[in-house]
Amino acid sequence: MSTVVYPGSFDPVTVGHLDLIRRAAGIFDHVVVGVLVNSEKKTPLFSLEERVIMLKDACKGIPNVSVESFEGLLVDFVRAKGSDTIIRGLRALMDFEMELQLAQVNRIASDGIETLFLPTDPRYSDVSSSVVREFAKYRKALPEFVPENVLKAMVEKGIVESTKQED
Ligand code: PNS
């Protein structure tokens, strides 16, 4: 069985992440979405538990996807899942430099774990969790950027103001 790991902070999961998960699920037998525990971001918008719950909810229509948190090195998590493949999305050239370095380091450090890149669907090339967080600082939602359940959670937590779509 082919298993791929899709790692990230997912703070919060976006429609771009979700598209990538769906596409990976069409290629691999099993996709493990790995949510990083020790995020370096100082003030995450959502706790780890919330991020995992929101991801599970957003992925519930995709049968061959599971969502788990992980701590420590990504390559150790990948091996623990019985996989040797990581998948990451590439939105633009801007992403490439950092992603290439991560992929190289992970391959060297693990003696062979490969990273595959999927180009982000152009509809989502400007979508990012960091932009969602930046707008949230000003209580502004970006309904086009996040799945419905995330938007709902943001409104319910009082992070953003209610939007027309919510009424
Ligand atoms: O969504 P993000 O924040 O861009 O994801 C970054 C992530 C989780 C892929 C990366 O930070 C990571 O793999 N962290 C785990 C620690 C690790 O393995 N570091 C070594 C690579 S330098």
Side-chain angles (χ1 to χ4, degrees):
M1 188 170 91
S2 61
T3 298
V4 72
V5 173
Y6 179 37
S9 306
F10 303 105
D11 184 34
V13 58
T14 67
V15 289
H17 293 133
L18 206 51
D19 179 63
L20 199 113
I21 293 168
R22 277 204 195 93
R23 288 160 63 201
I27 301 169
F28 291 88
D29 295 325
H30 185 205
V31 180
V32 178
V33 180
V35 187
L36 183 66
V37 171
N38 49 338
S39 173
E40 280 167 20
K41 285 162 195 122
K42 283 182 197 121
T43 47
L45 201 54
F46 287 101
S47 70
L48 174 71
E49 291 72 23
E50 290 170 324
R51 283 180 277 145
V52 169
I53 288 169
M54 285 190 297
L55 261 161
K56 282 187 175 167
D57 194 20
C59 294
K60 66 177 176 229
I62 321 168
N64 55 334
V65 173
S66 56
V67 181
E68 289 178 40
S69 57
F70 77 98
E71 205 165 5
L73 284 176
L74 172 59
V75 289
D76 293 336
F77 178 65
V78 173
R79 288 285 188 226
K81 294 290 110 193
S83 174
D84 54 12
T85 317
I86 295 164
I87 201 158
R88 292 280 285 174
L90 283 181
R91 284 168 301 193
L93 205 55
M94 196 175 68
D95 285 341
F96 185 72
E97 210 171 328
M98 199 202 84
E99 293 297 336
L100 180 66
Q101 190 191 26
L102 274 181
Q104 303 285 35
V105 167
N106 283 333
R107 193 163 70 93
I108 293 162
S110 65
D111 198 16
I113 290 179
E114 297 285 3
T115 299
L116 301 180
F117 297 120
L118 271 188
T120 298
D121 186 304
R123 283 176 297 169
Y124 309 127
S125 55
D126 296 313
V127 172
S128 72
S129 300
S130 55
V131 170
V132 173
R133 289 195 303 274
E134 180 64 18
F135 271 69
K137 274 192 210 161
Y138 306 96
R139 297 183 43 78
K140 187 91 185 112
L142 283 173
E144 296 82 5
F145 278 27
V146 291
E148 233 172 82
N149 67 308
V150 173
L151 180 62
K152 197 161 168 268
M154 291 177 83
V155 173
E156 278 172 8
K157 270 194 94 175
I159 294 172
V160 296
E161 282 157 20
S162 184
T163 61
K164 280 214 170 79
Q165 283 91 329
E166 282 288 295
D167 296 335

